[in-house]
Amino acid sequence: MEGFKAFLLRGNVIDLAIAVVIGAAFTNIVNAIVKGVINPLVGAFGTKDLASYSSCLKGPCVTDPKTGEATEGIRILWGSVLSATLSFVITAAVVYFLMVLPMAKYLARRAAMQAAKAGVQETLEVSELEVLKEIRDALVSQRSSSADEGRGQDPGRGHDE
């Protein structure tokens, strides 16, 4: 039971649930656009409903006027496939241009800001390191010069002589 609880409380499950709910609501909007805008535009060149576009594969296609089903022949309903394809393309375009593209630009801007901050931090660290090296070198040279003065000018002679 603990594993199941941990699974449900992970962020991914909640994000997925939100995506499904938003996707379902968004589907209604896309379907309304296809039925209210795209189908009438296509209807200007032919019938008002894309689903009515069809072809007869075998024999003469006879449709029952009451039910709308084919009673003879084999009917290929390519208009409904076209309608579903248009719905998909519209959905993909809206998701890309309204969600994916702005988020990608935001993340790129954020990454550039992070890189700039890291570059400034690295520059500060390098300059601090250089200063510390200079201090070390100065201390080493002071120690070596004071040690040489304490010994005298002749490095071959010791203090006891």
Side-chain angles (χ1 to χ4, degrees):
M1 194 65 175
E2 283 296 319
F4 182 68
K5 183 178 176 183
F7 170 73
L8 288 179
L9 294 179
R10 276 195 310 191
N12 296 347
V13 174
I14 294 170
D15 291 343
L16 183 60
I18 291 169
V20 168
V21 170
I22 295 296
F26 189 68
T27 299
N28 291 334
I29 294 171
V30 171
N31 288 338
I33 290 172
V34 170
K35 289 179 184 173
V37 177
I38 303 297
N39 285 349
L41 289 174
V42 172
F45 301 104
T47 64
K48 291 186 179 181
D49 187 16
L50 285 176
S52 66
Y53 287 108
S54 63
S55 297
C56 192
L57 184 62
K58 182 178 178 185
C61 290
V62 178
T63 305
D64 184 9
K66 293 180 183 177
T67 62
E69 294 182 13
T71 56
E72 292 181 31
I74 299 173
R75 185 174 299 274
I76 304 294
L77 302 173
W78 59 270
S80 60
V81 174
L82 179 62
S83 178
T85 303
L86 284 173
S87 295
F88 173 76
V89 169
I90 291 169
T91 303
V94 169
V95 167
Y96 179 75
F97 289 112
L98 295 182
M99 295 178 189
V100 174
L101 192 61
M103 183 59 81
K105 287 182 180 181
Y106 169 74
L107 291 176
R109 230 181 301 134
R110 189 170 174 193
M113 288 174 47
Q114 291 291 338
K117 285 182 182 178
V120 168
Q121 184 65 27
E122 184 177 311
T123 303
L124 289 175
E125 289 173 3
V126 167
S127 62
E128 286 177 9
L129 184 62
E130 291 298 321
V131 169
L132 289 174
K133 284 181 181 179
E134 289 175 10
I135 293 171
R136 179 200 64 200
D137 293 342
L139 288 173
V140 166
S141 67
Q142 284 178 355
R143 284 185 188 163
S144 65
S145 67
S146 66
D148 287 343
E149 286 176 8
R151 283 191 225 148
Q153 296 295 335
D154 189 6
R157 296 188 335 168
H159 290 297
D160 294 322
E161 296 179 33

